[in-house]
Amino acid sequence: MSDEQKTEQNGTLVRGLTNRHIQLIALGGAIGTGLFLGIGPAAVLAGPSVILGYALAGIIAFFIMRQLGEMVVQEPVSGSFSYFAYKYWGKFPGFASGWNYWILYILVSMAELTAIGHYIHFWWPDIPLWVSSLFFFILINALNLASVKVYGETEFWFSIIKVVAIIAMIIFGIYLLISGTGGSSASVTNLWNDGGFFPKGLFNHSEKGYSGLFAAMAMIMFSFGGLELIGITAAEAKSPEKTIPKATNQVIYRILIFYVGALIILFSLSPWREITEGSSPFVMVFQNLNGLEFTMFGKVIQFNILIANILNIIVLTAALSVYNSSVYSNSRMLFGLAQQGNAPKFLQKLNKNHVPINAILISSCFAGICIIINKLAPEKAFEYLMALVVSTLIINWLMICYTHLKFRRSKIAAGEKTKFPSIFYPVSNYICILFLVAILVLMSITGMEIQVILIPIWVAFLFVMYKLYKPKN
């Protein structure tokens, strides 16, 4: 009898995610709206040096992924890092880690549903924001209730679209630079000829210096939120000891290609001073193409208008991908918390497709609150929701780093060798923790002090909830 058949008979999660699913889920987690739309504010603060910032943040994110990867390959269970925090750190860390992650992606779900509504407005501005959010809310939740294979297949194609789009943009950008058709201002010298590679200071933007890059690092780091999704897939991955290491190790190369490579091309095409907080280098490229046109099916088509429509399809796909993964990961985290005794037992219920139906429905009820928010305050909804994501994301990363330290010490004490050791243990753990603490310091002095203040308040709230709930396990 196969492992999958045994799993089905035991009424637990089925290992239905294949190697190609895991590869593209990991890649999809590394590519989101942070790349397509979130570069603008960071570029305003740091200029071309934002490219270095993405490279540094990518290395830290890779270290964290390797730490998480070591744990989930050794013990591929539902609940991922919440399970490890519970087992190797303590009951409250397990409780706090799981519920913090769940809240994080409830907020991300709400933000992405709101963003989806804005993207639909590009084509149909008369459709209310909440109507678009409701439509895709129902669609994505229905797909996740079908089976884990449906989720994996959907995410596979979402990621394919994003990858093809970025590769096409890089190739097209290289063509524009080489051919000279990218506009009079398109040149690789844009990377250093206007104030240098580090053109801005932290507090005095008229002065040159490295500190401008420091100010942008908080925004840059948040672009990599979602990479930890691969740890959630472990309980439903076929041959996790093979697929997860392969997917994890390839993340660093993907970051270098899709983030750093794309930014080098795009900053060459668009002088950084032309970028505003509400735009991105991608948009600037299309603006430089004004006037280009071609004929298709007997009709004259403006090239920049066509590209603008394609870009909107891509960012809509990116938002749908993030929301799809949020629905999946939240339900599995609730399922794992229920198995630990840190959530009500009814959340362990599976439907006939071996999907945690109650966990999906409960999560969707909370995420669906954004539809009401979009109805009452459509202009400010996205801004409010994204501000709340920051605090929970920092907690999540810090807990993964420290939990891995506890996990590894336990294995060393037991004389047990792990199958997929992290890189530079324990030095990489301390580097990541110090880096994240430094991000908090930078946030506190660059206008994000509210998010920093929320962290101890939120942890205290979780502790009160833990004491009130009194987990039995």
Side-chain angles (χ1 to χ4, degrees), residues 34-51 54 185 187 190-191 194 199-200 205 216 219 262-288:
L35 173 59
F36 293 111
L37 295 177
I39 297 169
V44 169
L45 287 172
S49 65
V50 75
I51 297 170
Y54 274 95
S185 60
S187 171
N190 287 330
L191 297 174
D194 186 5
K200 286 192 172 184
H205 292 327
M219 296 179 186
L263 289 177
I264 289 174
I265 296 298
L266 293 171
F267 271 75
S268 297
L269 290 167
S270 302
W272 68 269
R273 289 191 188 275
E274 295 182 11
I275 300 172
T276 64
E277 292 193 8
S279 70
S280 78
F282 291 95
V283 176
M284 300 306 302
V285 170
F286 306 141
Q287 289 178 339
N288 289 338

Side-chain angles (χ1 to χ4, degrees), residues 37-156:
L37 295 177
I39 297 169
V44 169
L45 287 172
S49 65
V50 75
I51 297 170
L52 177 60
Y54 274 95
L56 292 174
I59 292 171
I60 296 298
F62 177 63
F63 283 157
I64 295 174
M65 278 198 70
R66 282 298 303 259
Q67 292 159 18
L68 178 59
E70 179 176 3
M71 294 189 288
V72 298
V73 168
Q74 197 69 19
E75 301 177 48
V77 296
S78 179
S80 188
F81 39 86
S82 172
Y83 164 86
F84 296 108
Y86 183 82
K87 181 176 180 179
Y88 295 100
W89 190 352
K91 291 183 178 181
F92 172 64
F95 179 93
S97 177
W99 284 107
N100 177 76
Y101 183 85
W102 183 77
I103 287 293
L104 164 61
Y105 279 96
I106 287 295
L107 295 172
V108 169
S109 295
M110 295 168 76
E112 294 299 335
L113 278 171
T114 302
I116 288 167
H118 286 293
Y119 302 148
I120 295 298
H121 267 186
F122 179 84
W123 295 302
W124 300 289
D126 294 332
I127 296 179
L129 196 64
W130 69 271
V131 172
S132 301
S133 300
L134 178 60
F135 174 80
F136 287 103
F137 169 80
I138 295 172
L139 176 63
I140 296 298
N141 278 282
L143 291 173
N144 274 267
L145 285 168
S147 74
V148 67
K149 289 184 179 180
V150 172
Y151 158 73
E153 202 65 32
T154 304
E155 194 57 30
F156 175 84

Side-chain angles (χ1 to χ4, degrees), residues 142-206:
L143 291 173
N144 274 267
L145 285 168
S147 74
V148 67
K149 289 184 179 180
V150 172
Y151 158 73
E153 202 65 32
T154 304
E155 194 57 30
F156 175 84
W157 288 107
F158 279 159
S159 297
I160 285 289
I161 292 173
K162 291 187 288 185
V163 171
V164 170
I166 294 176
I167 292 175
M169 286 179 181
I170 292 174
I171 294 174
F172 183 59
I174 293 173
Y175 164 75
L176 292 175
L177 286 170
I178 294 176
S179 66
T181 55
S184 58
S185 60
S187 171
V188 292
T189 59
N190 287 330
L191 297 174
W192 62 81
N193 69 356
D194 186 5
F197 190 68
F198 299 94
K200 286 192 172 184
L202 179 56
F203 297 108
N204 187 350
H205 292 327
S206 64

Side-chain angles (χ1 to χ4, degrees), residues 230-268:
I230 193 171
I232 303 294
T233 66
E236 293 170 282
K238 293 181 179 179
S239 304
E241 70 282 355
K242 296 179 181 179
T243 57
I244 290 179
K246 185 176 181 180
T248 301
N249 284 333
Q250 289 181 356
V251 164
I252 187 65
Y253 306 113
R254 291 161 179 164
I255 289 172
L256 291 175
I257 294 172
F258 295 123
Y259 275 88
V260 178
L263 289 177
I264 289 174
I265 296 298
L266 293 171
F267 271 75
S268 297

